[in-house]
Amino acid sequence: MAVAHEIRGLGHSVRRKEDARFIRGKGNYVEDISLPGMLHLELLRSPVAHARIVSIDTSRAEALPGVVAVVTGELMAQHSLAWMPTLSGDTQAVLATDKVRFQGQEIAAVVAESAYIAKDALELIDVEYDLLPAVTSPQQALEPAAPLIRDDKEGQESNHIYDWEAGDKEATEKALAEADKIVELETFYPRCHPAPLECCGCVADVNPATGKATIYMTSQAPHAHRTLFALVAGLPEHQIRIVSPDIGGGFGNKVPIYPGYVVATAASLLIGRPVKWIEDRTGNLISTGFARDYHMKGELALKDGKMTGLRVNLLSDNGAFFADAQPTKFKAGLFHIVTGSYDIPAAHVVTKGAYTNKAPGGVAYRCSFRVTEASYLIERLVQTAAYELGVDPVELRMKNFVQPEQMPYESATGFLYDSGDYPAAMNLALEKLGYDELRSEQAAAREEGRLLGIGVAFFTEVVGAGHGKEYDIAGLRMFDSAELRVHPTGKAILKLGVRSQGQGHETTFGQIIAHELGIPYEDVEVQEGDTDNTPYGLGTYASRSTPVAGAAASMISRELREKARKIAGHLLEVSEDDLEWETGRFFVKGSPDRAVTIQDIAFAAYTNLPDGLQAGLEGVHYYDPPNMTFPYGAYAVVVEIDRGTGEWRVQRMVAVDDCGVRINPMIVEGQIMGGLTEGYGIAAMELITFDDDGNCIGSTFMDYLLPTAWETPVFELGETSVPSPHHPLGAKGVGESATVGSPAAYVNAVIDALAHAGVRNIDMPVTSDKVWHALAEVGLAE
Amino acid sequence: MVTNDTIGPRGRRSNRRFRERGGVSVYPATFEYFAPTSVDEALDTLERFGDEAKVLAGGQSLIPLMKLRIAAPSALVDIGRIDGLDALEERDGRLEIGALVTHADCEKSDLLRGRYGVLGATAPLVSDPIVRNRGTVCGSVAHADPQGDWGSALLALGAEVVAQGPDGERAIPLEDFCSGPFMTALEPAEIVTSIRTADPGPRAGGTYLKLERKVGDFATVGVAVHVSLDNGTIGRAGIALTGVGPTNVKATAAEDALAGAAPDDDAIAEAARLAAEAAQPLDDVRGSAEYKRNVVRVYTERGLRTAIAAAQS
Ligand SMILES: Cc1cc2nc3c(=O)[nH]c(=O)nc-3n(C[C@H](O)[C@H](O)[C@H](O)COP(=O)(O)OP(=O)(O)OC[C@H]3O[C@@H](n4cnc5c(N)ncnc54)[C@H](O)[C@@H]3O)c2cc1C
């Protein structure tokens, strides 16, 4: 269709509209915002992990010229703001009053005429601490004699937070009892950090005359944040405007509300001037939402090579405050997707959470609420099972996949997989890789004393929450919205409740409108992030923008198309029923020349309406999805290990993804490559760890390592496409697939090189040091 | 009782300041800035401020330290506008590296191949292109980071530091220059004007092997090897280690064992064993001491093979 090419709807790899401004340095990030009379806020953070605060003396700091105010927890307490609720129903200190509970915790804030002065003043605040022993692991936290971290909470007598379970205990025990083989794997998914290149920050501007609070902030969920601000600070919601301007990466890190936002807003309210807070890198790494930190044990029951049951025990390190960002009813997020891509009739997941003296906020780092941990565990466990059974890891997977004809498939833990053809994706990956030849190459290399490894991981994700009945954040149902206004000249503006942080919404959503209404995507302005002029939504994370807001954009387009049909009938002087739609125009059935374009119709909507029809061509749709979507993929990695240093180099990385219908394939591939890179970083180097005193190691980019272009493997991408049956466009969400699926593939590859010698596990990050120790243990070191 | 100020430095450098002051910073403390156009003028300013002043060369170590407020000099003396400090040339069979010669200059220079191969192999392994474009070899040596790469390369080849102060010029053998981590024999009012290497020998080769966690990282382990041949046997061997001691470590016993030996597998294996013995590694996030010591052995072996082959060709 010639016209389809011009309007460039689904399937067109058009360049990203937003890049023109980003590439030219014309973006508008929070740090770019400068208001008249603006002050600067810097936070004093705790140097120790656990201590009672004896005294805080701010007098020297207050005396420094240029300092306007020093805010302490005591002052915040006078306004009932020393503590705030978390997204998991716990409380978190805004500024510490009684104790500090992790290194980097916010203690006080200086508001000054410049950031330099504020930094100077921080050094003049004298805090006396009474040191307490630090708790640095959940195992230690749950020992009876462990120091009590949350003595602020009434009735809290230990560091235990919650127990949560999913699945069927009895059925799983039965499967284990009847198995002819039980394969176990204990592995730790370490604490890592989303580390967006833009740290968090805000400019809070409370107008002393009107009382209106405008808060420019790095937010992935501005509407939800507005409501939470209203509930927490007691400000009337119509007097709060959150503006989330251009965002330099979020990856889950910008879902929670952090003390800096709250203190800056309180300071602006009290002082009557705008206050800017921009977090530095260390602040971001040591205090904001980390990810993972899950101790996992999996037991897989097998009978005749078929998986019959899966039991999982989890111990979660939640840090000092339980601040996981996740749907309210699910303490371990959506971890119970852990049966993955396999038809396992029985499964049982038991989780325990514990407080430790570490930063709070287990966010879903580029993942749909703990799906990454689940995917990692099952794919490592299946690989282990293959070695234990002496069968090829791919063969074992093929034998146990949920088959296409079983879709929609209800898993043992209660998810309804919407669609998929797993064997097809697996086969495509094997073909691209040349799997069988590689296995022979591996054997030949081993003869020469070289260690090659071929790792496979096959993931199934659950993304795109809600539906709202089951999934909510702090009570807010996880729907999303789209408001479309078509102007008289046929151009349009689309306003959404989600917020792009680099995902290319301005392009992708324009293409959805192009597909549905035939308005060229260049003619569609996409707006997000300003709560005063966009419809309510829950925000962008958990791969939900296209599944939910994308569906809303489709639906509102279709509603407007029905109105357009009425106008077209009026213009063409025929009955609506005689009209046929083809992208961009209505024509009279049987005479395609008698037609009006969507642009003609838009003009008529304001100039020439049939009687009884309201003017205008606009509307809003709130979409509550009937189910999640279940993207999946087959990833394969080839590595070679240096037996002298333990270094491993990726030689090949093949990634076949199925995310249903691809709206802009280039953007989809970009998302996949980014995720594969982050997955590599997590597998190879990213680590937030702590010494026994609770000092955070990983507090700068010299210690928290991110892969550069040099380390990043070359990716060979492939695609299959089974459309989601319930999404209006058949799309499934892809933002997180590769981060979720790839770590296991990299680790499986390293293990595969050593499996013949009996090595079964190396915890991430798989550093050369750990590999060398494994080599040495089995006598393979040079 | 402890306070924000008294919590002592423990552990890694990036975290130390944080523990001392309850925060790190991207904003340096206040300082004065000077840009002299001659060495004499620079020395005058340095004398005036005493140990409150710091020489600024490429700024790739000093500026990060100032931003973290680990360093807070009250004056910076930028030597970047002084003429005549940018020479990279061979004089009388020895290489002269001026104070303003950058890592990138070395990376591009043809002089640093062949006999100066240990230097040529080092240049592209120092950090990343951004740091290499600005950072200087002399600045790296003056900074005396035990994880600095140039210190090992220059120790292996043999070098002296040429410094100018109020009392004139002096040459300090590199072995005597570093006294500990970030500590040197330099006086506050002295400027390193150049580094002068030893004569590498007529038939010589060398290399540098560096284990890093990613590009731009400091060495987990680095091994610099220089070998000169004398009628088919090893004349002089230089071996120095990065990241496994309080300074760059010269593996003297390994060097001595190689001098006069035939360049065969046994000699190489023995030297590698001795080099590993000379290492003083610590357990840290980069790896265990045992692991690092093994890498020293592996790299010394591999480095010697490469260096000998280069000298033979
Ligand atoms: C991200 C990053 C990664 C790095 N990775 C590595 C690495 O892998 N390997 C490595 O070896 N280095 C690394 N470095 C350090 C880098 O090599 C520096 O360039 C070098 O250490 C210092 O050189 P400079 O010219 O930048 O010195 P500056 O930063 O200007 O000065 C450093 C110190 O030396 C003094 N000084 C400098 N020049 C003179 C002089 N002529 N006379 C007297 N005193 C002087 C200064 O007063 C200061 O105390 C890294 C740096 C960064 C920022």
Side-chain angles (χ1 to χ4, degrees):
Chain A
M1 263 194 310
V3 67
H5 185 71
E6 262 171 44
I7 59 162
R8 289 180 287 192
L10 296 195
H12 291 273
S13 287
V14 297
R15 291 208 180 150
R16 303 197 331 160
K17 275 166 79 178
E18 44 271 80
D19 284 347
R21 71 174 186 280
F22 293 143
I23 288 167
R24 293 176 203 173
K26 298 292 180 200
N28 185 38
Y29 297 90
V30 168
E31 173 68 303
D32 295 319
I33 291 164
S34 186
L35 301 177
M38 189 174 76
L39 297 169
H40 298 263
L41 181 143
E42 291 285 333
L43 290 168
L44 181 73
R45 296 179 180 280
S46 171
V48 294
H50 200 192
R52 201 159 291 290
I53 296 176
V54 179
S55 67
I56 303 178
D57 182 351
T58 59
S59 54
R60 290 197 302 140
E62 278 159 11
L64 189 74
V67 170
V68 176
V70 180
V71 185
T72 60
E74 204 180 311
L75 181 65
M76 293 297 281
Q78 289 166 19
H79 302 269
S80 304
L81 282 174
W83 291 82
M84 63 179 183
T86 70
L87 292 177
S88 282
D90 194 3
T91 50
Q92 172 173 359
V94 175
L95 293 178
T97 45
D98 52 341
K99 283 206 304 191
V100 289
R101 293 177 171 84
F102 68 94
Q103 188 190 48
Q105 187 179 336
E106 301 79 0
I107 297 176
V110 173
V111 185
E113 298 290 346
S114 82
Y116 282 90
I117 296 171
K119 272 288 181 197
D120 288 346
L122 288 187
E123 304 197 351
L124 302 175
I125 299 176
D126 300 304
V127 186
E128 277 181 45
Y129 303 97
D130 215 347
L131 286 184
L132 297 167
V135 178
T136 57
S137 76
Q139 292 86 354
Q140 185 196 348
L142 295 178
E143 279 167 16
L148 181 65
I149 297 168
R150 296 301 301 277
D151 52 353
D152 58 291
K153 292 182 75 170
E154 221 164 290
Q156 179 81 35
E157 276 159 16
S158 74
N159 297 317
H160 175 264
I161 309 176
Y162 65 83
D163 288 303
W164 191 80
E165 64 183 305
D168 187 332
K169 183 170 184 227
E170 267 167 48
T172 307
E173 275 170 2
K174 185 157 175 282
L176 285 159
E178 291 170 359
D180 53 35
K181 180 100 190 161
I182 297 174
V183 177
E184 273 188 38
L185 179 73
E186 265 193 80
T187 183
F188 173 47
Y189 205 131
R191 184 175 277 233
C192 52
H193 199 281
L197 284 192
E198 177 202 33
C199 299
C200 298
C202 70
V203 177
D205 180 19
V206 185
N207 185 314
T210 65
K212 176 117 184 179
T214 304
I215 307 162
Y216 304 88
M217 67 187 257
T218 47
S219 169
Q220 292 179 228
H223 292 277
H225 283 171
R226 185 188 68 202
T227 302
L228 293 174
F229 260 87
L231 295 174
V232 174
L235 296 170
E237 195 165 356
H238 69 291
Q239 289 274 60
I240 306 173
R241 175 181 169 215
I242 307 274
V243 182
S244 182
D246 285 330
I247 300 293
F251 309 109
N253 187 243
K254 292 166 183 168
V255 174
I257 291 184
Y258 296 119
Y261 303 138
V262 178
V263 184
T265 306
S268 177
L269 182 71
L270 293 175
I271 298 167
R273 289 167 66 179
V275 174
K276 182 187 243 182
W277 165 65
I278 298 292
E279 182 179 67
D280 58 28
R281 178 60 56 195
T282 296
N284 184 255
L285 286 172
I286 68 172
S287 77
T288 66
F290 70 93
R292 331 293 190 225
D293 218 345
Y294 248 36
H295 299 262
M296 308 189 277
K297 182 179 171 192
E299 292 159 278
L300 184 62
L302 294 125
K303 205 167 181 179
D304 304 325
K306 291 284 280 182
M307 304 172 190
T308 53
L310 174 65
R311 179 160 63 196
V312 178
N313 266 283
L314 303 171
L315 181 55
S316 168
D317 185 335
N318 294 90
F321 310 104
F322 181 32
D324 283 21
Q326 62 194 355
T328 308
K329 297 190 185 81
F330 301 90
K331 299 274 187 237
L334 306 179
F335 184 93
H336 47 304
I337 190 76
V338 66
T339 53
S341 316
Y342 309 102
D343 184 13
I344 308 179
H348 188 225
V349 177
V350 179
T351 327
K352 204 182 271 306
Y355 290 119
T356 59
N357 290 118
K358 299 181 183 176
V363 297
Y365 164 17
R366 207 168 183 172
C367 129
S368 181
F369 315 119
R370 307 272 184 199
V371 173
T372 310
E373 290 91 322
S375 175
Y376 181 76
L377 180 65
I378 186 68
E379 285 309 299
R380 294 289 326 288
L381 188 56
V382 167
Q383 190 88 6
T384 310
Y387 300 133
E388 295 292 316
L389 295 173
V391 301
D392 184 275
V394 168
E395 203 185 302
L396 182 63
R397 286 183 170 89
M398 284 293 199
K399 192 168 169 184
N400 285 282
F401 275 148
V402 174
Q403 295 299 315
E405 57 275 13
Q406 289 176 275
M407 298 289 179
Y409 169 83
E410 189 174 350
S411 78
T413 56
F415 289 108
L416 189 67
Y417 292 21
D418 64 348
S419 60
D421 184 343
Y422 300 160
M426 187 80 245
N427 280 327
L428 180 60
L430 297 178
E431 192 186 303
K432 286 180 89 68
L433 191 69
Y435 185 73
D436 295 334
E437 300 88 274
L438 268 169
R439 282 287 176 209
S440 330
E441 232 178 85
Q442 178 187 37
R446 207 175 282 160
E447 293 293 308
E448 298 165 19
R450 284 168 50 227
L451 295 175
L452 289 189
I454 305 156
V456 172
F458 196 102
F459 67 92
T460 294
E461 270 191 294
V462 49
V463 308
H467 53 99
K469 213 191 257 173
E470 197 161 3
Y471 301 101
D472 68 84
I473 299 251
L476 301 166
R477 285 184 169 208
M478 296 183 75
F479 57 81
D480 241 291
S481 62
E483 179 188 323
L484 182 61
R485 301 179 185 170
V486 184
H487 301 324
T489 54
K491 316 290 180 190
I493 185 160
L494 176 69
K495 293 160 177 270
L496 301 164
V498 290
R499 186 25 160 164
S500 178
Q501 310 119 42
Q503 292 90 336
H505 288 185
E506 289 167 47
T507 310
T508 298
F509 286 84
Q511 287 181 267
I512 292 176
I513 304 305
H515 170 75
E516 294 287 0
L517 283 179
I519 299 173
Y521 89 103
E522 296 96 326
D523 290 354
V524 183
E525 160 93 359
V526 176
Q527 284 192 355
E528 300 175 332
D530 183 340
T531 58
D532 267 8
N533 77 12
T534 51
Y536 205 96
L538 268 280
T540 294
Y541 45 85
S543 294
R544 63 188 299 282
S545 293
T546 297
V548 191
S554 273
M555 297 311 280
I556 188 58
S557 301
R558 291 175 190 184
E559 285 171 27
L560 295 193
R561 202 201 291 159
E562 285 318 300
K563 181 170 184 181
R565 180 188 291 274
K566 291 191 168 57
I567 300 172
H570 167 71
L571 294 176
L572 292 167
E573 297 179 327
V574 294
S575 146
E576 279 175 49
D577 302 335
D578 292 334
L579 291 173
E580 205 163 309
W581 170 257
E582 121 188 321
T583 306
R585 60 180 215 146
F586 279 107
F587 62 89
V588 179
K589 278 180 192 161
S591 30
D593 293 346
R594 287 188 62 202
V596 281
T597 66
I598 186 73
Q599 288 79 8
D600 299 333
I601 296 167
F603 197 69
Y606 299 86
T607 57
N608 178 10
L609 281 158
D611 289 341
L613 199 64
Q614 278 185 29
L617 194 56
E618 34 180 275
V620 56
H621 188 99
Y622 279 73
Y623 188 81
D624 190 354
N627 189 6
M628 303 272 209
T629 65
F630 295 77
Y632 58 91
Y635 293 169
V637 172
V638 182
V639 301
E640 179 160 4
I641 294 177
D642 182 328
R643 291 175 44 205
T645 63
E647 287 171 290
W648 52 280
R649 292 260 144 81
V650 176
Q651 296 183 335
R652 302 271 308 278
M653 186 343 154
V654 169
V656 172
D657 273 273
D658 192 316
C659 57
V661 171
R662 297 184 175 200
I663 297 162
N664 182 320
M666 179 197 72
I667 289 182
V668 168
E669 290 191 357
Q671 291 289 307
I672 292 168
M673 290 194 198
L676 294 173
T677 306
E678 287 187 322
Y680 172 75
I682 292 164
M685 57 182 80
E686 295 187 32
L687 179 66
I688 301 272
T689 187
F690 297 82
D691 68 13
D692 291 344
D693 296 327
N695 293 308
C696 176
I697 295 155
S699 61
T700 72
F701 277 162
M702 291 304 284
D703 293 312
Y704 191 76
L705 306 179
L706 300 178
T708 70
W710 184 263
E711 292 78 32
T712 301
V714 173
F715 305 124
E716 304 164 50
L717 303 187
E719 121 177 54
T720 61
S721 177
V722 176
S724 166
H726 62 77
H727 186 276
L729 298 172
K732 292 183 178 175
V734 73
E736 301 158 332
S737 294
T739 337
V740 168
S742 67
Y746 296 111
V747 178
N748 279 345
V750 175
I751 300 296
D752 188 68
L754 309 172
H756 65 289
V759 176
R760 292 290 178 267
N761 183 46
I762 300 176
D763 280 338
M764 297 188 292
V766 180
T767 59
S768 49
D769 165 56
K770 289 186 200 164
V771 175
W772 181 79
H773 280 282
L775 286 166
E777 215 162 279
V778 297
L780 284 174
E782 176 184 323
Chain B
M1 201 79 74
V2 288
T3 70
N4 263 25
D5 282 333
T6 56
I7 288 160
R10 282 173 291 182
R12 300 190 33 72
R13 67 183 119 182
S14 55
N15 214 266
R16 193 184 302 152
R17 175 70 190 182
F18 177 72
R19 284 179 206 139
E20 287 168 14
R21 299 293 163 116
V24 298
S25 176
V26 288
Y27 302 106
T30 310
F31 59 89
E32 268 187 89
Y33 173 82
F34 298 91
T37 53
S38 72
V39 172
D40 286 342
E41 192 188 336
L43 291 176
D44 281 350
T45 313
L46 285 175
E47 271 204 280
R48 186 142 59 84
F49 284 88
D51 53 15
E52 286 291 294
K54 276 269 172 205
V55 171
L56 177 72
Q60 297 306 295
S61 293
L62 186 52
I63 302 284
L65 292 179
M66 289 172 62
K67 287 173 81 170
L68 295 169
R69 296 198 177 196
I70 295 171
S74 51
L76 283 189
V77 181
D78 184 348
I79 59 173
R81 289 181 178 75
I82 299 176
D83 278 343
L85 294 183
D86 57 356
L88 176 63
E89 57 197 17
E90 203 170 12
R91 265 185 232 155
D92 309 327
R94 303 165 73 180
L95 197 69
E96 186 95 21
I97 306 169
L100 295 179
V101 172
T102 63
H103 311 315
D105 292 336
C106 293
E107 195 178 356
K108 289 179 214 137
S109 166
D110 286 335
L111 264 179
L112 266 61
R113 300 181 218 289
R115 301 190 309 145
Y116 298 103
V118 62
L119 303 185
T122 303
L125 295 180
V126 176
S127 190
D128 56 35
I130 304 163
V131 170
R132 291 202 290 277
N133 281 337
R134 297 206 68 95
T136 64
V137 179
C138 291
S140 172
V141 170
H143 189 54
D145 186 336
Q147 280 178 307
D149 299 305
W150 286 115
S152 293
L154 289 161
L155 273 179
L157 180 59
E160 57 190 17
V161 178
V162 182
Q164 207 163 314
D167 307 326
E169 190 177 284
R170 62 177 180 139
I172 310 158
L174 190 56
E175 293 92 305
D176 304 333
F177 186 72
C178 298
S179 45
F182 310 100
M183 291 187 288
T184 69
L186 214 60
E187 298 294 334
E190 264 183 327
I191 292 175
V192 176
T193 51
S194 71
I195 287 170
R196 204 181 291 138
T197 72
D199 184 334
R203 296 201 64 195
T207 194
Y208 184 64
L209 296 171
K210 177 177 178 178
L211 180 72
E212 54 187 9
R213 298 173 300 176
K214 60 171 269 195
V215 160
D217 190 23
F218 285 91
T220 300
V221 170
V223 176
V225 176
H226 173 79
V227 172
S228 72
L229 294 179
D230 194 0
N231 285 329
T233 62
I234 295 174
R236 181 167 72 81
I239 298 173
L241 318 175
T242 312
V244 289
T247 62
N248 298 96
V249 176
K250 199 160 155 48
T252 320
E255 295 175 346
D256 292 348
L258 285 168
D264 58 20
D265 285 353
D266 287 347
I268 289 173
E270 176 62 4
R273 192 187 64 78
L274 290 168
E277 229 167 60
Q280 304 153 43
L282 299 176
D283 293 331
D284 63 18
V285 284
R286 286 188 168 76
S288 68
E290 184 194 3
Y291 168 60
K292 293 180 194 174
R293 196 182 292 283
N294 184 68
V295 175
V296 170
R297 182 185 59 78
V298 170
Y299 274 4
T300 307
E301 271 196 41
R302 292 180 187 176
L304 279 168
R305 282 185 214 289
T306 307
I308 290 166
Q312 284 168 340
S313 68

